[in-house]
Amino acid sequence: MYGWTGKLLHVDLTSGTCERREIPTEILHAYLGGRGLGVRLMRDYFRLDPFDPQMPLIFAVGPLCGTNSPTAARLACVSRSPLTGTIYDCSAGGRFAWRLKGAGLDVVFVTGKSATPVVLAIDGDRAEILAAGELWGKGVKETVAALKGRGSVTAIGPAGENGVLFANIMMGEGNSIGRGGLGAVMGGKLLKAVTVQGEGVTGVADRERFDAARADVMRLFRASPVIFGELGIAEYGTPALVDLMAQRRMAPTENFKSTFFAQSANYSGPAIRKECGAKKEGCYGCPIQCKKASAKGEPLPEYETVNHFGALNGISDLHAIVRANTLCNELGLDTISAAATLSAFGEARGRFPDPVEVDRLLTDMAFRRGDGELLCQGSRRVAEALGKPGLSMSVKSLELPAYDPRGAYGMALAYVTSNRGGCHLRAYPISHEILRKPVPTDRFSFSGKARIIKIAEDVNAAVDSLVACKFAFFGATLEEYGELLSAVTGVEYGPESLKAIGERIYLTERFYNCANGFSMKDDLLPERFYSEPGSAGEGIEIPPLDRARFQEELQKYYRIRGLSPDGTFDDASLLEKLP
Amino acid sequence: MRDQIDKYIGKLLADRSAIPGAIAIAAQDDVLIAQGSPELAKLAGDTLSRLNSLALVAARPSLPFAEFLIARAGKGETFILPQDTETRTFLHDIPFLRREDLAGDPAPELARLLGSRKGVIVEGVGIIAVGAITVEQAFINYSSVFHSTFVKYLQDLLTDGFKLPGEREAFESFRKQWLKPLSAEGLEFVDAISLDKEEILLEIERVGRYTVERGLVDSFFGNISACAGDLIYISQTAASLDELKGCIDPVPTDNSSTTGITASSELLAHRKIFEETGARVILHGHPKFAVIMSMLCDKKKECAIKDCWKECPHVRDLGGTPVVAGEIGAGGLAKRVPPVIGASGSAIVYGHGVFTLGRDGFGEAFRTMVEVENFCREEYFRLLKA
Ligand code: SF4
Ligand SMILES: [Zn+2]
Ligand SMILES: [Zn+2]
């Protein structure tokens, strides 16, 4: 077999066993890898409570991983989110995915719960469960450093150990499996870290075709101002968006009360470069290298993080923001949810935290002490506990990232249709509504957006299963990645067949969610966006969203998806009809 | 959706790339609509309903070049491979269906081909192009196929001459009737643009419209900029030259802000050209004859370089305008154009298009582009005769 290894490592932490199993080829062809494969493997488990010992935690790479397909050294981590209660997946880069593939694996499937803290160590064909000993309780840096000799490391920090609902799993090289609290799922299993070493190579079916497709992808990267332009993400990382979102009046500020922060230039891409001496870093083998690190090698914050520790909390000091980012990485906290939860907390009590208080509260969150005991549950639960449920700026309990939905109507719709809650990356309409890729759409119009969002969700579900990076698609399309995939695997794929796979994955996820009680009542934006305007300026008005028009477009979306007007499935046997 | 369909049917008529009465566009939201000439509309709808995409254009091109390319293609061939930048970058190749492949309902086969390409040619029917997320995108892909087949057919004529019955006559009528003389006559320009933002924006919008109205370029391909002190005003990426209102980014020359992340992919080239030449404005477009002529090189046989479009190190010459190689964006074009454009105020990029300068305003840049294209046009017909 080319591309895939066809192997799954089944790890049962309760019995302490590791076993290599075969993955049926039919399943690989139909779900590719990464998110799709992980979601498929959840079929028998999606109803379990996220903290049920039997709940799987799945790490899945894709068929392109291990080849030099641009941006493909990634994996997806899949489970059920304790924060949102939805099916959950997150794509992450770094070196770990590459090593996992090198160990001859497409999937690591972790189930059960250990009696004492452990580390899962994979080295080529061998896998063993080791006592974590001293490592439990340690920060991410120290844990990674202690395990370095065992290869690539992914680990949780105190936040994951203590069950913080938005705890990340941190990849050793500064990447993270973020947002939905899969770090808490890992902590619940008393699994402190996974290490992996592997030197195997991924077979490529047609080398010449592969080289041609790769050249096509690279040409499109160079032609994309967002990727390789002099103001693009290769130069400035995602903070390149700071100035743009300020100009477009859609940078969430003070818990989304306004959409413009006058001091945002303090943490813009150029400011970070100047102040922190940012240099390029990135995922293994990725030609874009969009991550930035300080001169000392410290990972620097992404766009979402600078906005949320900045504007969203009314903080203008870049160094305070960088510190908060570093602290989150060390504790294993998701930066977006942590900052947004602090912001909701701040508005509820009438005062946003200052930088010093931010540091203290983040630490309290991770260790669940003082205010942290409440804050560790995320903004929805915090706002409800404080009697102000309207102040949680979240969808399905997932805190919204740094694109105000009043400034991009496709984004508004995509936040509610996302299967993992308020996330920008599912349909990623910012790509066309703001960044004009592949073509521009009118950000203040709902026209056509239901169909566009549906298509984009399908495309991105396929992308997350390849697994490739979303940023690659600011230049390339499924046309070129379909070529890469066909060349690698020897199985023919094109944009339409990949979108069909994406649709299958999306519907499976939505089906799981509906089976767990989700429906139209959860496809909801916070009230604020329908009643309060954002900040006007530079000739741009940001009026509240038109609720009727929004609902109309949501109904269109359900029809296009083949769902009932309630957003659910009429056909209870959907899964049985899928491979 | 309907307003979008009307708009782009209008554009296909205005740029004369499709035959009136043989244009249809389909689009799907929660329902599918298809408008235009009934037979094509049916085909467009039937095909689009099989695709996970938003829009589709089916139209008969106003020139028979795509058809001729199919007829001239060898038996067993299933696609054509033009050498211009649009193809190389976005289309990859253009599949076609012959009349005899069309037994029964062509929609399933078309949907299959469009499942992996942006545009297809169908003999006896026309160009079918798909837009993944907007009607505009389908229009752009139609335009790209039209442009690329135009360029390839004229290129092929130079090497192989006429081969088919009726070909020469059709070509003569193209030359005499379809082609219009290019000129800048009667157009108004600001002689020397000031530093005033409003004036600059208006002038860029106006010149953008001129380039399309005068048939110099197709609406989608090109970019325009003006330098004003610490700012470069430049058209955004994926902007139509005839609709630049609201689509011009002010970019600080010292890169102190990144709002210009949405600016044209040629920002770097523009910036370097300003630095190198001191010009005030730059015009860039893809006039077809310049594209064709730029790919003729009399050293092709003995030259060791095969990827001429990006690797040719020579500065060639077309009527006093330097011709260089180089890919778009962060590719080589931004390195090779700035050093050579100053002397003549113009430069041609291999297989891609033309850059021209205005030292004070757009009048000079526009007229220069007209001259370059007219020269290439004449030169082409001279070569064809010889
Ligand atoms: S673009 Fe950035 S995030 Fe994506 S794979 Fe490359 S380095 Fe990683
Ligand atoms: Zn160009
Ligand atoms: Zn040469």
Side-chain angles (χ1 to χ4, degrees), chain A residues 40-122:
Chain A
R40 172 63 182 82
L41 294 172
M42 284 288 289
R43 193 182 282 185
D44 297 327
Y45 308 94
F46 65 86
R47 290 173 204 270
L48 295 176
D49 183 88
F51 290 123
D52 187 299
Q54 291 315 308
M55 174 56 71
L57 182 67
I58 300 167
F59 299 87
V61 300
L64 298 183
C65 185
T67 71
N68 69 338
S69 306
T71 80
R74 303 181 70 84
L75 56 71
C77 185
V78 182
S79 190
R80 189 174 174 197
S81 161
L83 181 69
T84 65
T86 62
I87 179 80
Y88 211 87
D89 77 281
C90 183
S91 168
R95 205 167 278 259
F96 188 85
W98 182 275
R99 293 273 174 260
L100 199 60
K101 191 71 170 279
L105 294 169
D106 288 333
V107 175
V108 177
F109 186 100
V110 183
T111 179
K113 174 177 176 162
S114 175
T116 55
V118 290
V119 172
L120 169 63
I122 301 166

Side-chain angles (χ1 to χ4, degrees), chain A residues 71 74 282-283 286 288-291 469 471:
Chain A
T71 80
R74 303 181 70 84
C283 306
C286 173
I288 302 175
Q289 299 289 295
C290 77
K291 309 270 182 201
C469 178
F471 298 156

Side-chain angles (χ1 to χ4, degrees), chain B residues 107-365:
Chain B
E109 181 58 8
L110 266 175
R112 191 186 65 78
L113 291 174
L114 289 168
S116 45
R117 284 293 179 264
K118 298 176 185 79
V120 177
I121 313 165
V122 185
E123 202 178 13
V125 178
I127 295 171
I128 322 286
V130 68
I133 64 168
T134 61
V135 178
E136 182 192 35
Q137 206 178 0
F139 164 77
I140 292 165
N141 289 335
Y142 176 92
S143 284
S144 294
V145 174
F146 182 82
H147 177 87
S148 298
T149 49
F150 183 115
V151 167
K152 176 162 170 60
Y153 178 69
L154 266 67
Q155 245 187 317
D156 287 1
L157 280 187
L158 283 182
T159 42
D160 306 329
F162 298 109
K163 289 174 163 181
L164 309 167
E167 214 180 342
R168 182 184 294 275
E169 294 71 21
F171 189 80
E172 274 311 307
S173 119
F174 150 71
R175 184 179 175 175
K176 298 222 172 72
Q177 279 154 36
W178 194 90
L179 272 186
K180 303 275 183 235
L182 288 176
S183 90
E185 216 143 296
L187 300 178
E188 282 177 34
F189 296 95
V190 175
D191 286 336
I193 55 166
S194 67
L195 297 180
D196 178 63
K197 179 178 177 180
E198 287 314 308
E199 180 185 278
I200 291 173
L201 295 183
L202 283 176
E203 186 69 352
I204 291 179
E205 288 165 28
R206 176 159 70 162
V207 174
R209 258 195 332 272
Y210 288 166
T211 58
V212 178
E213 279 167 13
R214 289 286 161 122
L216 199 50
V217 305
D218 294 333
S219 113
F220 192 66
F221 307 112
N223 34 73
I224 306 185
S225 72
C227 184
D230 307 338
L231 289 176
I232 296 171
Y233 292 92
I234 182 166
S235 56
Q236 293 183 329
T237 183
S240 297
L241 289 181
D242 53 347
E243 293 180 73
L244 288 179
K245 193 173 167 50
C247 296
I248 298 161
D249 279 331
V251 181
T253 44
D254 64 355
N255 280 352
S256 55
S257 152
T258 54
T259 35
I261 190 172
T262 50
S264 160
S265 53
E266 306 302 2
L267 171 63
L268 182 63
H270 286 244
R271 182 198 304 278
K272 291 249 174 79
I273 292 171
F274 285 128
E275 281 169 13
E276 196 89 27
T277 66
R280 282 298 310 281
V281 305
I282 300 169
L283 189 57
H284 168 58
H286 302 180
K288 294 184 173 62
F289 285 91
V291 173
I292 296 163
M293 293 303 294
S294 72
M295 293 190 279
L296 288 184
C297 172
D298 45 18
K299 301 207 180 54
K300 282 239 159 112
K301 282 215 179 70
E302 66 257 34
C303 187
I305 292 164
K306 288 288 156 281
D307 292 340
C308 308
W309 76 92
K310 64 171 176 187
E311 302 213 311
C312 177
H314 311 291
V315 181
R316 294 175 297 127
D317 173 272
L318 274 171
T321 294
V323 183
V324 294
E327 289 196 279
I328 55 182
L333 171 169
K335 273 188 220 94
R336 293 219 182 92
V337 172
V340 301
I341 194 172
S344 63
S346 59
I348 305 179
V349 180
Y350 187 104
H352 175 168
V354 180
F355 284 84
T356 58
L357 301 180
R359 272 144 243 272
D360 302 305
F362 278 107
E364 181 189 357

Side-chain angles (χ1 to χ4, degrees), chain A residues 219 222-223 225 230-231 240 243-244 434 436-437 439 451-452 454-455 458 479-480 495-496 499 556 559, chain B residues 28-30 52-53 92 115-118 132-133 236-238 255 257-259 262-263 265 271 327 329-330:
Chain A
R219 183 172 306 121
R222 285 192 292 271
E230 36 172 349
L231 305 174
D243 291 327
L244 188 65
I434 301 297
R436 306 177 65 82
K437 290 291 156 195
V439 285
R451 172 73 63 173
I452 295 174
K454 185 267 180 193
I455 293 169
D458 294 347
E479 220 170 310
E480 296 78 31
E496 280 295 319
K499 282 188 269 186
K556 272 190 192 174
R559 281 197 290 281
Chain B
Q28 51 184 349
D29 199 349
D30 55 337
N52 202 346
S53 290
H92 306 304
S116 45
R117 284 293 179 264
K118 298 176 185 79
I133 64 168
Q236 293 183 329
T237 183
N255 280 352
S257 152
T258 54
T259 35
T262 50
S265 53
R271 182 198 304 278
E327 289 196 279

